[in-house]
Amino acid sequence: MKPTAAAKARRTMLMIEIPRDELACRIAEASIGATRPAGLTVAEAFAQMERIDPGQPERWRRSADAAVRYFHECTNAGRQPS
């Protein structure tokens, strides 16, 4: 399977790997104004989200992909994101 543009960007941006689900979960937390209870994994948090609103975790993953692509575009253009 060929890596997506977002997957390539996550691997190459500043030579660090950005875990997709962790970034997605943090975006979700910031957006909804809540945080995971201590010790709750991303997989567990997404499982709870899926039970409440099917498809929700995938929407947050797409948001994370968009954020990574944007940062990648900015670093390729030689400017810092604001």
Side-chain angles (χ1 to χ4, degrees):
M1 184 163 141
K2 186 176 179 184
T4 65
K8 285 182 184 178
R10 280 193 301 275
R11 282 195 313 274
T12 60
M13 188 177 83
L14 304 176
M15 301 306 292
I16 58 170
E17 184 169 341
I18 301 170
R20 181 186 194 209
D21 281 359
E22 182 65 35
L23 178 59
C25 194
R26 290 182 185 211
I27 290 170
E29 289 172 343
S31 296
I32 62 177
T35 56
R36 285 174 278 171
L40 191 70
T41 68
V42 172
E44 293 166 336
F46 277 1
Q48 288 181 9
M49 285 181 191
E50 188 68 33
R51 283 192 298 274
I52 295 166
D53 181 6
Q56 188 177 155
E58 191 54 36
R59 290 190 295 275
W60 294 118
R61 288 181 183 108
R62 287 193 306 268
S63 296
D65 290 346
V68 169
R69 282 191 303 271
Y70 172 69
F71 286 120
H72 187 68
E73 290 169 14
C74 291
T75 57
N76 282 342
R79 61 180 193 266
Q80 287 185 321
S82 56

